[in-house]
Amino acid sequence: MAKLTAILVEDLTDALQLLKHDITSRFPDIEIIDTAQSVVEAAKVLRKKEPDVLFLDIMLGDGTGFDILEIFPDLKSKIIFVTASDEYAIKAFKFAAIDYVLKPYSHEDLDQAITRAVSQIQPNRERLSILKDTLIAPNKKPDKISLHTLDKIIIVNLDTIVRCESDSNNTLFYLDNGKKIFVTKTLKYFADLLKPYEFLRIHQSHLINLQCIAEFIKSDGGYLLLKNGENVPVSVRKRAEVLDILDKMHR
């Protein structure tokens, strides 16, 4: 790894010192050129110098890490978000397809985060907006999701997803405009992530947007007829659950 400069933004003194120690002791190619413990301090520091890597805590005493990014919209630094172990925060990062380090982190977590940050493209404003909106309103259904393909990240509206299909350790997304998106994550990953938002895994290979179902056909072992005319099989194990959910939807 080439020599890199870093600035750490963390409001808790003990956590800041630990992060500083771990980076200094394990990553000699990273030079920590400054630290800050608030939005105001970070703004003063970043006006004077722009690091290669910015370690950014989400929740700060006088605001959030997003406030810093809004003050410096043209910041070129690679960002490594640092967040506490919180299920809502983890969900938000997954929806935005943005990497993060979870506190308390292991040395391996830190190592992987630095390697990824250096090699990846910076999150754009729209992905940062998805992250911010999902963090602020964790119980609200997100409007959008970021999807990692082999060569880029595509942002789609959640309501335009008709279904998802397993393709080995990858997932094929089918949208309502007929477009297909090949995503480099497993179907299980998305089944867990989308379950609270009216998506149901009806088969080992299929995840369905419940709003796209037209009817359940009992013949041929049981399958769903979708509003776009597609047929999707329902596993024997999931049949009772599917029938129960459809019954509740039509009451």
Side-chain angles (χ1 to χ4, degrees):
M1 184 186 295
K3 192 77 174 178
L4 299 171
T5 59
I7 289 176
L8 320 183
V9 181
E10 165 64 69
D11 64 338
L12 300 176
T13 302
D14 289 347
L16 177 61
Q17 292 305 318
L18 178 61
L19 182 59
K20 187 174 181 179
H21 172 269
D22 287 343
I23 294 172
T24 303
S25 62
R26 291 183 57 79
F27 305 97
D29 290 326
I30 296 179
E31 178 191 359
I32 298 171
I33 56 175
D34 220 325
T35 63
Q37 292 188 253
S38 66
V39 173
V40 172
E41 278 186 27
K44 289 178 181 177
V45 168
L46 289 169
R47 282 195 181 99
K48 296 175 183 176
K49 41 200 165 185
E50 184 175 272
D52 296 313
V53 184
L54 178 63
F55 289 82
L56 188 58
D57 192 7
I58 292 291
M59 302 307 298
L60 302 165
D62 60 346
T64 72
F66 300 111
D67 296 326
I68 296 170
L69 298 180
E70 287 175 9
I71 295 170
F72 300 95
D74 299 318
L75 192 69
K76 299 295 190 295
S77 307
K78 301 287 189 177
I79 301 168
I80 297 179
F81 285 101
V82 183
T83 185
S85 298
D86 179 287
E87 63 175 303
Y88 297 115
I90 294 169
K91 181 187 77 174
F93 280 100
K94 287 180 177 179
F95 263 92
I98 293 175
D99 284 317
Y100 57 93
V101 178
L102 214 56
K103 295 186 288 188
Y105 55 82
S106 67
H107 289 153
E108 183 182 4
D109 292 336
L110 193 60
D111 192 0
Q112 290 177 353
I114 291 171
T115 302
R116 286 196 303 263
V118 171
S119 64
Q120 287 189 358
I121 301 169
Q122 270 299 87
N124 60 21
R125 284 173 176 266
E126 195 168 10
R127 285 167 62 206
L128 289 170
S129 177
I130 293 172
L131 175 60
K132 183 178 180 180
D133 292 346
T134 314
L135 280 169
I136 290 172
N139 294 316
K140 182 188 171 194
K141 180 181 178 180
D143 293 325
K144 299 178 180 179
I145 185 170
S146 301
L147 302 176
H148 264 288
T149 70
L150 290 169
D151 58 353
K152 58 186 174 180
I153 293 174
I154 300 173
I155 296 169
V156 303
N157 290 322
L158 212 58
D159 289 338
T160 65
I161 300 169
V162 175
R163 65 185 182 93
C164 306
E165 185 174 344
S166 175
D167 186 335
S168 186
N169 287 323
N170 305 293
T171 301
L172 193 59
F173 276 72
Y174 292 79
L175 306 186
D176 59 5
N177 62 1
K179 186 177 179 180
K180 300 175 186 177
I181 302 175
F182 184 79
V183 183
T184 55
K185 295 226 177 253
T186 66
L187 185 66
K188 182 183 185 307
Y189 177 91
F190 290 109
D192 293 341
L193 187 62
L194 297 175
K195 187 175 181 180
Y197 309 111
E198 298 186 303
F199 282 80
L200 179 67
R201 191 167 185 175
I202 61 168
H203 187 280
Q204 185 177 353
S205 300
H206 298 286
L207 176 69
I208 295 290
N209 181 343
L210 295 174
Q211 296 303 318
C212 295
I213 298 172
E215 57 184 320
F216 179 82
I217 309 298
K218 294 182 179 180
S219 60
D220 298 326
Y223 63 91
L224 291 176
L225 175 63
L226 304 186
K227 292 176 182 177
N228 65 3
E230 290 184 308
N231 297 337
V232 185
V234 178
S235 70
V236 174
R237 188 169 57 88
K238 285 287 186 176
R239 182 168 177 161
E241 182 182 359
V242 170
L243 287 171
D244 183 55
I245 288 172
L246 292 179
D247 182 55
K248 290 175 181 176
M249 287 176 62
H250 291 101
R251 281 178 189 172

